[in-house]
Amino acid sequence: MNSATQYLNITEPFSFRRGGSIPELTLAYETWGSLDANKSNAVMILTGISPSAHATSSAQDPSEGWWEPMVGSGRPIDTDRNFVVCINSLGSCKGSTGPDSTNPATGKPYRLEFPEVTIWDIARAAQLVLDHLGITQLRMMVGPSMGGMSGLAWLHQFPHGARHFLGISSSANAEPFSIAIRSLQREAIVSDPDWQNGNYSPERWPRTGMRLARKLGMITYRSAREWRERFGRLPQDRYEPTTFGMNFAVESYLENAAAKFVSNYDPCTYVYLSRAMDWFDATEGHADLTDALSHIALESACLIGVDSDILFPVHQQRDLADAFHANGVRSNLVTLPSDQGHDAFLVDYDRFRPAVAGYFAQVLDGET
C-alpha cells in the first residue's frame, strides 16, 4: 500500500513531560510498502527538526520527498521488503500538532501557550501511530539527526519495540557547541521586533530573526572544507558597494537558503523544537550511557557519523556504539569521510546509500 500524508486524530488529552497538556492531538505520517502477515517488517523513520512526513514520493503524492534517494523500491530503505512509516514530529509545523496549531479553546494558534515539548514527548506520540497501525515490534527504528534522539527516547520508553536501530548523525545529548548555536538562533528570532512575544502575524512575520537563525544553522550544517572548496573567495555576480552588502558568493548562497526557509517554517516551532534538542539527555536518571541503555532489547545497532560534522561529532556516535556493545548488542560504528558536515545524510548519497543499504542487507540476511 502506498499513501500520501495521513492524519491520526487523537481526541483524548495528551500530557507533556515538563508539564501541561493539550485536549487533542493530530499526528501526520506517511507509509510505503506492505506489512507482512506477522506485521514484522515495519521500519519507522523519525525526522530531524524541519522535515515533514513526506520522506519519499508515492503514486498518491509523486512530489519528491526529503529523503527520496534513500527510501523507495530498490533503494537502501527498500519499500519492496519493508513497510516504512515516517512520522512528522509532535510540535512540528508540517502537519502534526504544534505551537502553530489552533488552540480549540481560543480558536487562535497556540504559540507560546503550547506546553514545552521534549524529545521524550515526540517519541511517546510516535508510538500512538504504531498502535494505530497495529505494529507491536519494528524491524528497525531509523533516526537521523533529531530523529536519532527521538529514536533513543522511544527505545527507552518501549525497550522491546524494535529489533534493530539505525542512528544517523545523532547523539544521546547535545554538545555545548550545538546548544550555543541553537541558543543564538532562538535569540535572533525572539529579538526580532516582529516576534511580538509570539503573537506575530502573516503580515508581521519575524523574517529578519528567522533569516539570521537559518543562516547560522546553514553555516553549522556544512563544513569549512566544503565552503572553501565550493565557494572559495568567489565574488557574487552582482557587486554591492556598501559597507555591509553581500559581496561574496557564499553570502548569496546563505541568503537564498534563508529566504526559502523563512516562508516555509513557523518561528515558534523552531524555538520549541530546537530547545527540545538542547534539553534532551538519554542518560537522565542513570549513572552513565551504558546504564541508560541497559534495558533496551535490541539485536543490533548501527551508528553512522560524518567526520566533518560539528553539530553531532563522531565521538557521540562512538559513545552510543560502545554503550550498546557493552550491553551485549551487536553494534557497529560507521564513520564517513564527507566534506558536507551534518547535512551529509541529506546530500552526500554516494557515501550514505551504501552504508545504509549495507546495514539493511545485514539485518535482512540475518532474518533468512
Side-chain angles (χ1 to χ4, degrees):
M1 146 179 112
N2 288 331
S3 67
T5 304
Q6 301 176 63
Y7 299 92
L8 174 62
N9 297 310
I10 306 294
T11 57
E12 299 176 354
F14 184 92
S15 297
F16 290 76
R17 185 182 180 96
R18 295 179 70 88
S21 66
I22 53 177
E24 56 190 32
L25 173 66
T26 296
L27 295 167
Y29 68 98
E30 292 195 23
T31 66
W32 304 267
S34 300
L35 275 171
D36 60 21
N38 297 322
K39 295 187 175 182
S40 63
N41 66 331
V43 172
M44 178 168 66
I45 300 172
L46 298 181
T47 72
I49 192 169
S50 57
S52 68
H54 188 60
T56 195
S57 57
S58 68
Q60 287 72 23
D61 184 354
S63 63
E64 184 175 348
W66 61 267
W67 226 11
E68 188 78 20
M70 196 68 75
V71 182
S73 176
R75 296 171 188 165
I77 304 178
D78 191 349
T79 53
D80 295 333
R81 304 186 69 180
N82 301 284
F83 175 77
V84 181
V85 53
C86 180
I87 304 171
N88 179 236
S89 298
L90 168 68
S92 178
C93 56
K94 301 291 185 178
S96 294
T97 300
D100 75 323
S101 301
T102 300
N103 182 345
T106 65
K108 299 177 180 179
Y110 278 105
R111 298 285 170 75
L112 298 185
E113 293 179 354
F114 200 75
E116 184 167 357
V117 179
T118 70
I119 296 295
W120 305 95
D121 298 318
I122 292 170
R124 186 161 51 86
Q127 179 63 33
L128 298 175
V129 175
L130 297 184
D131 291 343
H132 171 71
L133 295 172
I135 297 169
T136 57
Q137 188 181 61
L138 297 172
R139 168 177 281 162
M140 191 181 299
M141 163 68 239
V142 179
S145 190
M146 186 186 83
M149 289 179 159
S150 301
L152 288 173
W154 180 82
L155 287 168
H156 191 278
Q157 294 173 90
F158 307 97
H160 295 273
R163 299 190 297 281
H164 307 277
F165 173 60
L166 173 58
I168 298 175
S169 299
S170 191
S171 67
N173 52 34
E175 286 274 283
F177 174 81
S178 302
I179 294 172
I181 290 295
R182 286 192 288 266
S183 72
L184 286 175
Q185 291 176 300
R186 293 192 294 271
E187 185 175 344
I189 293 170
V190 303
S191 297
D192 188 316
D194 288 332
W195 167 253
Q196 301 179 77
N197 199 33
N199 295 313
Y200 49 86
S201 65
E203 295 74 29
R204 291 192 61 187
W205 199 256
R207 297 185 63 84
T208 298
M210 288 290 284
R211 281 177 54 252
L212 293 175
R214 185 59 171 177
K215 287 182 179 183
L216 273 170
M218 290 301 299
I219 290 169
T220 61
Y221 295 157
R222 300 301 180 92
S223 75
R225 296 203 306 258
E226 184 188 6
W227 298 126
R228 182 171 59 250
E229 295 175 6
R230 184 174 178 182
F231 299 107
R233 290 179 52 81
L234 287 174
Q236 66 173 3
D237 293 337
R238 182 171 60 85
Y239 177 68
E240 295 185 12
T242 59
T243 303
F244 299 110
M246 290 186 294
N247 300 318
F248 293 94
V250 67
E251 294 176 286
S252 297
Y253 170 80
L254 290 174
E255 181 65 24
N256 290 333
K260 293 176 183 176
F261 184 76
V262 166
S263 58
N264 291 310
Y265 205 82
D266 174 65
C268 256
T269 298
Y270 192 87
V271 169
Y272 270 70
L273 291 184
S274 71
R275 187 170 55 182
M277 295 174 71
D278 290 349
W279 275 113
F280 178 66
D281 186 352
T283 68
E284 182 179 332
H286 296 271
D288 53 27
L289 186 56
T290 299
D291 182 52
L293 304 182
S294 62
H295 68 298
I296 297 175
L298 288 172
E299 295 178 22
S300 76
C302 178
L303 289 308
I304 302 178
V306 172
D307 64 356
S308 61
D309 189 343
I310 59 175
L311 284 178
F312 292 86
V314 169
H315 74 83
Q316 292 193 295
Q317 292 94 57
R318 182 180 297 111
D319 290 344
L320 281 168
D322 289 347
F324 277 123
H325 178 74
N327 283 303
V329 176
R330 298 194 313 272
S331 61
N332 185 34
L333 171 67
V334 179
T335 303
L336 300 178
S338 174
D339 288 348
Q340 292 174 301
H342 184 64
D343 262 2
F345 74 92
L346 295 170
V347 290
D348 195 350
Y349 290 113
D350 287 345
R351 288 182 172 85
F352 264 91
R353 283 170 56 88
V356 173
Y359 182 50
F360 267 88
Q362 173 188 323
V363 166
L364 290 169
D365 287 346
E367 293 182 356
T368 58

